[in-house]
């Protein structure tokens, strides 16, 4: 019986942790990771500060959980839906389409989490900086791999794969910023540029 009670507490704790981390990611997408604090989330969610502190321990752990949660959301929204598409240019195009959707129909209130937080921590050493950098490098590595798959099939051979991944990432990040500033026209501009790059 004690084992069942312990299991239930672990499940409840994991659910609470996931819910808090998701809210932390929502807040960070609008206000940056520095806007994420135990006190702020306790007030937002109607939970005691001690309850959140028990689950996360520190503001930094909470920020790291927000980064991890945002990464999981991005993978679920952008990457996983494309894995059934044939490798090469079809999958790369599907990936870009999902990426545009992630920006034009944002799952976070502040748009793309990565774009919102990258500049905030680009020159601040520490675990949060390292987590954000690792997430970006993993994404660019995945994107480069998909470009190389297309090149192996004879497409995009005039491009340097690393440079093209960098261009696409910079372009979509700029689109996210433009949308957050209220300029929807840049979405169409970016789509034309992407079509040119992938032709």
């Amino acid at each position: 019986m004690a084992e069942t009670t312990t299991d239930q507490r672990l499940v409840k704790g994991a659910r609470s942790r996931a819910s808090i981390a998701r809210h932390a990611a929502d807040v960070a997408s609008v206000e940056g990771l520095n806007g994420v604090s135990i006190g702020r989330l306790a007030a937002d969610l109607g939970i005691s500060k001690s309850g959140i502190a028990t689950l996360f321990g520190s503001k930094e752990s909470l920020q790291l959980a927000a980064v991890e949660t945002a990464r999981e959301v991005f993978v679920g929204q952008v990457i996983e839906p494309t894995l059934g598409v044939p490798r090469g240019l079809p999958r790369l195009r599907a990936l870009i389409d999902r990426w545009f959707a992630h920006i034009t129909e944002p799952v976070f209130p502040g748009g793309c989490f990565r774009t919102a937080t990258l500049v905030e921590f680009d020159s601040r050493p520490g675990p949060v900086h390292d987590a954000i950098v690792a997430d970006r490098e993993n994404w660019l590595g995945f994107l480069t791999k998909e470009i190389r798959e297309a090149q192996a099939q004879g497409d995009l051979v005039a491009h340097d794969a690393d440079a093209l991944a960098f261009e696409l990432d910079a372009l979509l990040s700029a689109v996210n910023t433009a949308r957050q500033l209220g300029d929807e026209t840049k979405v169409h501009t970016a789509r034309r540029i992407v079509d040119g790059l992938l032709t």
Side-chain angles (χ1 to χ4, degrees):
M1 180 69 174
E3 209 171 290
T4 303
T5 303
T6 301
D7 288 346
Q8 288 173 343
R9 284 183 184 157
L10 289 173
V11 169
K12 185 178 178 184
R15 282 189 191 140
S16 295
R17 185 177 168 83
S19 175
I20 293 165
R22 176 54 198 257
H23 186 66
D26 285 344
V27 170
S29 75
V30 177
E31 299 178 22
L33 282 161
N34 277 325
V36 173
S37 70
I38 290 172
R40 163 68 190 273
L41 296 191
D44 285 356
L45 299 172
I47 301 171
S48 70
K49 287 197 278 188
S50 62
I52 294 177
T54 298
L55 289 170
F56 293 95
S58 68
K59 176 177 178 172
E60 183 176 85
S61 294
L62 193 52
Q63 291 172 325
L64 289 169
V67 173
E68 177 62 20
T69 296
R71 187 193 70 78
E72 290 170 359
V73 169
F74 185 84
V75 168
Q77 292 280 320
V78 177
I79 295 175
E80 287 177 354
T82 68
L83 297 180
V85 177
R87 287 184 180 275
L89 196 55
R91 183 181 292 181
L92 181 60
R93 285 189 180 279
L95 189 65
I96 299 299
D97 285 343
R98 294 295 307 179
W99 195 4
F100 266 111
H102 183 70
I103 289 169
T104 58
E105 301 164 24
V107 293
F108 294 110
C112 177
F113 178 93
R114 186 181 291 113
T115 304
T117 59
L118 191 59
V119 174
E120 182 187 12
F121 274 83
D122 61 359
S123 58
R124 294 184 190 185
V128 177
H129 166 274
D130 294 347
I132 292 170
V133 169
D135 173 60
R136 182 170 186 272
E137 287 178 351
N138 287 340
W139 164 238
L140 286 175
F142 179 82
L143 188 56
T144 301
K145 180 177 74 70
E146 293 300 323
I147 291 167
R148 287 195 175 117
E149 289 280 356
Q151 290 176 328
Q153 296 181 21
D155 294 306
L156 308 176
V157 291
H159 292 278
D160 174 276
D162 291 297
L164 181 55
F166 181 81
E167 286 179 278
L168 291 169
D169 181 69
L171 182 63
L172 271 290
S173 294
V175 170
N176 179 76
T177 300
R179 281 199 82 252
Q180 293 307 305
L181 293 172
D183 186 356
E184 295 285 342
T185 64
K186 296 301 183 286
V187 175
H188 305 295
T189 301
R191 284 192 181 276
R192 285 198 303 273
I193 295 170
V194 168
D195 285 343
L197 288 171
L198 299 186
T199 300

